[in-house]
Amino acid sequence: MTARPRPHLPMRPTWLCRNCAAPWPCAPAQLALVTEFYCHSIALAFYLAASMQEAIDDVYGLGLRPDLAAMHARFLGWLSLARRPRRR
């Protein structure tokens, strides 16, 4: 039997990847999300924005102050790199 690869999902409230312990969304998670939301980039942006808000709420819940610019870069900043030009 071949072992299935473990998904790169967030571990709350730290928002680190359960698989590789990198800040989520890690590079493998980004690739998986782009694949999952292929041709649905607006839905992906909404999903990541909602996840970012939950992460911000979790950081406040831990009694810390989040770096909002860093959170934005982490959750949404990479999206423009993932967009594919439309074919005409």
Side-chain angles (χ1 to χ4, degrees), residues 1 6 12 16-17 19 21 26 31-32 36-37 52 62 65 72 74 77-78 84:
M1 253 208 258
R6 293 179 56 203
R12 294 178 70 177
L16 297 176
C17 177
N19 193 356
C26 57
L31 181 60
E36 181 179 348
F37 285 89
M52 180 181 71
L62 293 171
R65 291 191 59 174
H72 182 272
R74 175 176 158 186
W78 61 273
R84 297 180 66 130

Side-chain angles (χ1 to χ4, degrees), residues 9 14 23 78:
L9 300 173
T14 61
W78 61 273

Side-chain angles (χ1 to χ4, degrees), residues 29-45 47-48 78-79 81-87:
Q30 290 174 7
L31 181 60
L33 289 166
V34 167
T35 302
E36 181 179 348
F37 285 89
Y38 184 75
C39 291
H40 300 283
S41 59
I42 294 173
L44 175 57
Y47 172 74
L48 289 170
W78 61 273
L79 279 180
L81 301 174
R83 292 187 66 191
R84 297 180 66 130
R86 288 181 156 212
R87 290 187 177 187

